[in-house]
Amino acid sequence: MKHNAMAIHFRTQISALAIMTVMFGMGGEIVAQTNTSTAVKNVVLVHGGLVDGSGWMGVYKALKKDGYTVAIVQIPTISLADDVAVTKRAIAGQNGPVILVGHSYGGVVITEAGNDPKVAGLVYVTAFAPDKGESAGSLIKNAPQGAPTPPILPPQDGYLFLDKAKFPAFFAADVSPDVASFMADSQVPWGVEALGGAITQPAWRTKPSWYLITTEDKMIPPDAQHAMSKRAGSTVVEVKSSHAVYVSHPQAVAHLIEQAGTGALAATKGKP
């Protein structure tokens, strides 16, 4: 009986050791168990210029309802380097691979921050997807001929704002008037330095990407969105919406993010 008790105790210790081996990597950090998952379940959302992360609320709720872990980054939009650093801290806080999502200028941020090894896929939501050496500023200057000119006011102490009176029509035409008015009045200063921040290595060259094109966008022309998504080799969906699609059509945005989660995991498992 004593021999059997010792054997059972030994087997229990071995089982506990096996569990710890699965849970912890060589560095002692907990590693996500994705072998039984059907999708990447960690999502990091990055807002664009002039706004903050609160606009993601509808997308956040939809993803949480479907079992995703969601982090919303509050980037300072003062410089690209700072915005990338803040985003990387959010990525580091996730337990496992990440789908990194960017709206508008947030697309520049995820293009640089997405080189982080934990990022499994990128989702551009009517966003800039710059190549090496490009910035949001250079892409705006090279907008397609005849595209609407966003009502960006002259810089104030190194920061940019949109004309409040024109904000709803250009940024949030399909958002309820009271919300659009609030967005106009609560604009976050967008640093000229951030606008000019250039990409060193575009993550979309090595990571799978998805792109949501808004056909009624007056901030980033749809033709420019088509060109950037094609260059990046992104999987594309189109939504009849304004630039603020993440506010007006959160379910459509969440659906694409979930598609990316499934597709990115498949791509990862397909690698040798």
Side-chain angles (χ1 to χ4, degrees):
M1 292 293 292
K2 185 177 181 181
H3 175 77
N4 289 340
M6 291 179 63
I8 292 171
H9 178 68
F10 180 74
R11 286 197 298 269
T12 302
Q13 288 184 316
I14 292 296
S15 298
L17 179 62
I19 292 171
M20 293 294 286
T21 302
V22 171
M23 290 182 63
F24 287 84
M26 294 299 292
E29 297 181 354
I30 295 180
V31 179
Q33 299 180 42
T34 59
N35 59 318
T36 58
S37 299
T38 58
V40 175
K41 286 288 192 175
N42 299 309
V43 177
V44 174
L45 304 172
V46 183
H47 64 82
L50 306 171
V51 296
D52 65 15
S54 62
W56 288 114
M57 182 178 290
V59 177
Y60 170 87
K61 288 181 176 180
L63 291 171
K64 292 289 287 185
K65 183 179 179 181
D66 289 342
Y68 288 77
T69 299
V70 186
I72 299 173
V73 186
Q74 295 285 9
I75 55 174
T77 64
I78 296 174
S79 74
L80 177 60
D82 288 339
D83 295 337
V84 169
V86 172
T87 301
K88 283 188 172 182
R89 284 198 291 272
I91 294 169
Q94 305 309 303
N95 182 22
V98 170
I99 297 298
L100 188 57
V101 184
H103 170 257
S104 196
Y105 163 72
V108 181
V109 178
I110 72 169
T111 297
E112 188 75 23
N115 291 299
D116 188 291
K118 291 181 76 171
V119 175
L122 308 164
V123 178
Y124 292 89
V125 180
T126 181
F128 294 110
D131 203 347
K132 184 176 181 179
E134 293 181 340
S135 65
S138 67
L139 291 172
I140 289 173
K141 288 180 181 178
N142 295 321
Q145 188 174 3
T149 302
I152 300 175
L153 299 173
Q156 302 175 28
D157 298 324
Y159 294 94
L160 301 170
F161 296 89
L162 282 190
D163 184 327
K164 289 184 180 181
K166 298 178 180 178
F167 186 105
F170 276 80
F171 198 105
D174 58 347
V175 175
S176 64
D178 58 332
V179 173
S181 178
F182 175 79
M183 293 172 69
D185 288 334
S186 63
Q187 289 181 65
V188 178
W190 187 11
V192 172
E193 185 179 345
L195 186 73
I199 295 299
T200 61
Q201 181 61 40
W204 51 257
R205 289 200 175 275
T206 57
K207 307 286 178 79
S209 64
W210 287 256
Y211 198 112
L212 188 150
I213 293 174
T214 46
T215 61
E216 308 299 313
D217 201 316
K218 293 183 179 179
M219 293 296 294
I220 300 179
D223 286 348
Q225 296 180 51
H226 277 286
M228 289 186 289
S229 60
K230 182 178 181 180
R231 180 175 65 177
S234 305
T235 300
V236 173
V237 300
E238 293 189 10
V239 176
K240 185 177 181 181
S241 178
S242 72
H243 194 59
V245 62
Y246 64 109
V247 178
S248 57
H249 295 84
Q251 289 290 345
V253 175
H255 183 62
L256 181 62
I257 294 170
E258 293 182 12
Q259 285 185 10
T262 302
L265 184 63
T268 301
K269 287 184 175 179
K271 290 182 180 180

